[in-house]
Amino acid sequence: LGVGAWLAFENIGTTRFLPPPASSIGSVPTQGDWPMFQRDPAHTALVPDGAPVPEGELKWRFVTQGPIFSSPAVVGGRVYLSTGDRRIVALDGESGEVIWEHRVSGPVNSSPAVAGDLVFIGLRDGNVVALNKDTGDLQWQFRTGGPIHSSPAVFEGVVYVGSGDERVYSLDATTGAERWSYLTGGRIMTAPAVNGDVVAVTSQDRYIHIIDVGTGNRRLDYLTSDTGGSPSFYENVVFAADQSGAVRAIDWRRRVLPFEKAARWMRTQLFVWGLADAPPRQKGLVWSFRAPGESFVGTPAVAGHHLYVGSRSGVLFALNRSTGEEEWTFAADQGLVASPSVVGETVFVGDEGGVLYAVDATTGELRWRFEVDGPISSAPVSVGGMLYVTSLDGTLYVIK
């Protein structure tokens, strides 16, 4: 009876009777668009087969007066970009000419998300803002209790974003009204991933938090190591890579039961004191991959049967999505701190030395490389046969 009552509270909670959001808009890509960080709310960073693949020639560049920490969104022939010189800008996708700019209070780490007629972004001053995508005019803003480095995701009329105040926020995309917030145990510097049932986010408390989208209640939390990247989804599994060199696949459908954490802590103590043969296994683990000596900081890209993740040492790993087994590796010249992306059968990733690599997604063989003038700071964004890549020298490079 007690377990049943607890499950009812976790699934119903006090937010069950929230009215539906005012719209159904989402940053879900259509053919020829890349509307948010890692392209879609699940963070797959995948453009499927049939899309044109860039060949490695510069088309144009847009130069700012500060480093760029984020990836652009490209929707409807326009590029939406946050900058280190305190601006959100909209550029013409063919020429790079400025269509509008919106001044903000400081440098921006958050990548834009475009949904409906709005552009959503988080600011270091703690505000989430929604701008008109045609004019750049402010439509609404919502203030959190800490700086925002997290990139928002918009799904079925709701904006999800993390804050330095240790909370994940669920906001109505049209009005900015708070639907719920979820308190983790650490600052949130990474972007939430979303599917139709749950939100997954990594926090500086070293947990992957899996939260019910309808109630804002905990479904599962999984202890990892320090993470510098966001989770990504594929079907019933959420993937996350951490700085200890581990990649994990976790079944997000599993739930933490009453007193389960306390029981696990007791079993862990028994193992530490030599009274148990093995530490307890965390609930939800499907598989784990470990690369001793490596440190993963980006978000895993998901494409077909593979998962792609880069390391600080400069190694790009291709893992079997179902088993976690290593399929191949590719060695870059320097560290890979930005996430990879996939276009058809090609993986794109940039290194800290300013080299962009196009790698065969099946074999790991290099197809071409392109050098920019500073460390590459974002996952390559691919739209219509062009790549949009940002760097810490303050430049957006467009490569055809």
Side-chain angles (χ1 to χ4, degrees):
L1 179 61
V3 172
W6 178 88
L7 286 172
F9 174 79
E10 285 292 294
N11 286 302
I12 298 173
T14 59
T15 57
R16 173 172 184 157
F17 303 108
L18 280 174
S23 72
S24 60
I25 62 172
S27 48
V28 178
T30 57
Q31 184 72 25
D33 285 341
W34 188 295
M36 61 168 287
F37 174 77
Q38 296 297 101
R39 193 168 189 255
D40 54 43
H43 288 173
T44 63
L46 170 65
V47 180
D49 287 332
V53 178
E55 298 180 354
E57 298 180 9
L58 183 67
K59 181 177 177 67
W60 54 263
R61 71 179 75 192
F62 176 74
V63 180
T64 72
Q65 301 303 309
I68 300 176
F69 305 103
S70 62
S71 59
V74 184
V75 175
R78 291 185 177 180
V79 182
Y80 300 91
L81 179 69
S82 59
T83 73
D85 60 4
R86 305 184 177 193
R87 291 183 294 165
I88 314 299
V89 297
L91 310 174
D92 183 274
E94 282 296 317
S95 66
E97 294 181 1
V98 176
I99 298 171
W100 57 254
E101 68 174 43
H102 181 93
R103 291 281 177 177
V104 293
S105 59
V108 188
N109 292 76
S110 178
S111 298
V114 181
D117 294 326
L118 299 173
V119 180
F120 303 88
I121 200 141
L123 304 178
R124 290 188 190 180
D125 64 10
N127 282 304
V128 183
V129 298
L131 309 179
N132 182 290
K133 74 174 185 180
D134 293 323
T135 65
D137 294 336
L138 180 68
Q139 302 300 297
W140 59 255
Q141 68 179 18
F142 175 87
R143 187 164 187 82
T144 72
I148 300 177
H149 293 77
S150 174
S151 299
V154 189
F155 191 80
E156 295 182 348
V158 180
V159 181
Y160 301 93
V161 67
S163 173
D165 66 3
E166 305 185 355
R167 289 183 178 273
V168 180
Y169 289 88
S170 167
L171 309 175
D172 188 288
T174 301
T175 67
E178 180 178 333
R179 296 177 63 78
W180 53 254
S181 69
Y182 179 90
L183 181 64
T184 69
R187 293 184 300 170
I188 300 170
M189 309 294 286
T190 60
V194 188
N195 65 17
D197 296 283
V198 296
V199 182
V201 68
T202 57
S203 168
Q204 289 189 343
D205 62 3
R206 300 185 176 185
Y207 278 92
I208 302 167
H209 296 270
I210 300 175
I211 309 158
D212 188 280
V213 297
T215 66
N217 292 327
R218 179 182 64 183
R219 296 275 288 265
L220 180 70
D221 45 21
Y222 192 100
L223 181 63
T224 64
S225 183
D226 292 322
T227 52
S230 301
S232 52
F233 280 107
Y234 184 85
E235 295 182 345
N236 297 325
V237 177
V238 61
F239 304 99
D242 67 38
Q243 296 184 37
S244 72
V247 182
R248 294 178 178 87
I250 299 163
D251 186 341
W252 58 262
R253 300 169 298 176
R254 303 297 298 274
R255 298 172 185 265
V256 176
L257 297 175
F259 311 113
E260 191 167 5
K261 279 191 171 182
R264 185 178 185 278
W265 181 87
M266 293 179 63
R267 291 196 298 271
T268 301
Q269 298 308 304
L270 292 173
F271 170 73
V272 169
W273 289 100
L275 301 176
D277 294 334
R281 181 184 174 96
Q282 289 196 75
K283 176 174 282 190
L285 183 66
V286 178
W287 57 254
S288 65
F289 167 81
R290 290 189 176 273
E294 298 290 356
S295 176
F296 299 122
V297 293
T299 302
V302 188
H305 299 292
H306 289 96
L307 193 73
Y308 303 95
V309 61
S311 76
R312 284 190 183 274
S313 72
V315 180
L316 177 66
F317 288 81
L319 308 180
N320 184 291
R321 176 180 52 77
S322 300
T323 66
E325 295 178 353
E326 182 182 306
E327 300 280 350
W328 53 256
T329 60
F330 169 81
D333 294 348
Q334 295 193 36
L336 304 175
V337 296
S339 305
S341 57
V342 186
V343 182
E345 296 298 320
T346 305
V347 183
F348 295 97
V349 69
D351 73 13
E352 291 182 298
V355 180
L356 175 68
Y357 304 90
V359 180
D360 187 287
T362 303
T363 66
E365 296 180 358
L366 179 66
R367 290 185 169 174
W368 52 258
R369 52 187 284 158
F370 182 91
E371 295 188 18
V372 303
D373 295 331
I376 291 176
S377 54
S378 70
V381 167
S382 177
V383 173
M386 293 192 289
L387 283 177
Y388 301 80
V389 180
T390 61
S391 79
L392 294 183
D393 72 348
T395 304
L396 168 67
Y397 296 87
V398 182
I399 301 161
K400 61 182 180 179

